[in-house]
Amino acid sequence: MPAISDRDVVRALRPFVRATGPLLDTLRTAQLSALRDRSLERDTDRRVVDRLWDQLARVKVPGTAAWAVMGVADRDEWWLNRVGRLVSLLAALPGVGGALADRLPIQAALGAAGQGLVLSALAGEHGFTSVEDRVRLLAHVLFQRTVDGRVVDAPAEDRETEELTSELKQSSTLRGIGRTVWKLAKVLWALEDELDKRPQGRFYHQALGMLPVVGVVGDYFGERSALKRVRKAADDWFATQPPRD
């Protein structure tokens, strides 16, 4: 198999990064919608609803007043915990099969997709909003590559981004979110030889992940541990790479 070039990495990461924007927006909206639904179902009295909305504004969720005054470190922690748990679970599910599943690239691709999603969220909190910046970040943290992140094939990129986000336009439910993460994983699957470079869990997580059935537990905690390394690597990158205009 031909070696994967920096150009190949950028070609895969650009539509991936563009698709993470709508996916993160959906996750934000889902959080707020769940809180709103619970509050409005409790009582239809206008005064009670108003009080509940006031309480909602103090909840630390993207889009609320409480979120607006949170520090960057606290926002990073929120993304790492709330979104990190979801993507770690999705990445760990193939671990039910134990060692056999661990040899399949789809589990590594799901893990890398989850890490890429979290990295995109962290980048936004640190002022790195351009596609080029986020591609450079993901290439550095996931694959130890230094790339410029510029467009390789604009028409193909537009088509792939449209396909990656198609499920979100039809459904903002957990199923739609899960299918979108699956599509993102398939994009990174094309970089199979690079996937082992991404941050990994501890050796004992990997050992537990080799066992059938309970392997999902080891893989889940391994992905959670790896996300801490992802955050550390991202923080180091943020400190040395000023955002581009």
Side-chain angles (χ1 to χ4, degrees):
M1 182 177 179
I4 295 173
S5 67
D6 288 348
R7 185 180 176 87
D8 295 328
V9 171
V10 173
R11 184 185 291 112
L13 286 182
R14 280 193 62 91
F16 179 100
V17 165
R18 289 177 61 184
T20 61
L23 180 53
L24 290 170
D25 288 342
T26 299
L27 288 167
R28 291 186 186 98
T29 302
Q31 282 282 339
L32 279 175
S33 296
L35 289 168
R36 289 167 180 164
D37 291 344
R38 286 199 296 270
S39 68
L40 294 176
E41 286 173 359
R42 289 175 60 179
D43 203 309
T44 57
D45 181 87
R46 184 71 260 167
R47 290 171 299 178
V48 174
V49 171
D50 287 342
R51 286 198 298 270
L52 290 171
W53 274 110
D54 288 340
Q55 293 174 9
L56 175 60
R58 293 192 290 272
V59 176
K60 294 179 179 179
V61 172
T64 65
W67 180 267
V69 299
M70 285 171 63
V72 173
D74 288 336
R75 292 184 182 185
D76 286 353
E77 194 67 24
W78 188 92
W79 286 115
L80 205 67
N81 286 324
R82 297 294 181 88
V83 178
R85 289 191 186 104
L86 172 62
V87 296
S88 294
L89 179 59
L90 291 174
L93 287 176
V96 171
L100 177 61
D102 284 342
R103 287 197 292 269
L104 299 176
I106 189 56
Q107 185 162 15
L110 279 167
Q115 291 176 349
L117 180 61
V118 171
L119 281 169
S120 289
L122 299 181
E125 301 301 341
H126 288 259
F128 292 85
T129 57
S130 72
V131 174
E132 288 78 10
D133 279 338
R134 296 186 184 192
V135 167
R136 293 192 301 121
L137 170 65
L138 268 65
H140 173 77
V141 175
L142 299 183
F143 308 128
Q144 289 84 60
R145 298 261 188 155
T146 300
V147 301
D148 61 23
R150 296 173 185 168
V151 177
V152 174
D153 184 344
E157 179 182 315
D158 290 341
R159 289 193 299 271
E160 188 163 6
T161 303
E162 181 71 18
E163 169 58 24
L164 288 172
T165 56
S166 61
E167 294 287 346
L168 298 175
K169 296 176 181 178
Q170 301 173 21
S171 172
S172 61
T173 63
L174 185 60
R175 176 176 294 183
I177 292 170
R179 286 177 174 175
T180 302
V181 173
W182 172 259
K183 288 183 178 182
L184 292 175
K186 290 200 291 185
V187 171
L188 299 185
W189 200 342
L191 304 176
E192 180 181 344
D193 291 346
E194 297 293 297
L195 295 179
D196 287 340
K197 297 180 180 179
R198 73 185 183 94
Q200 305 281 342
R202 302 292 183 180
F203 72 91
Y204 46 83
H205 296 133
Q206 297 176 33
L208 182 58
M210 299 290 287
L211 302 176
V213 184
V214 297
V216 68
V217 177
D219 287 338
Y220 172 79
F221 285 107
E223 293 296 336
R224 294 286 291 147
S225 175
L227 280 176
K228 295 179 182 178
R229 300 184 181 190
V230 165
R231 181 182 182 180
K232 174 62 168 60
D235 284 342
D236 291 343
W237 190 88
F238 294 145
T240 60
Q241 300 288 325
R244 295 178 180 177
D245 294 332

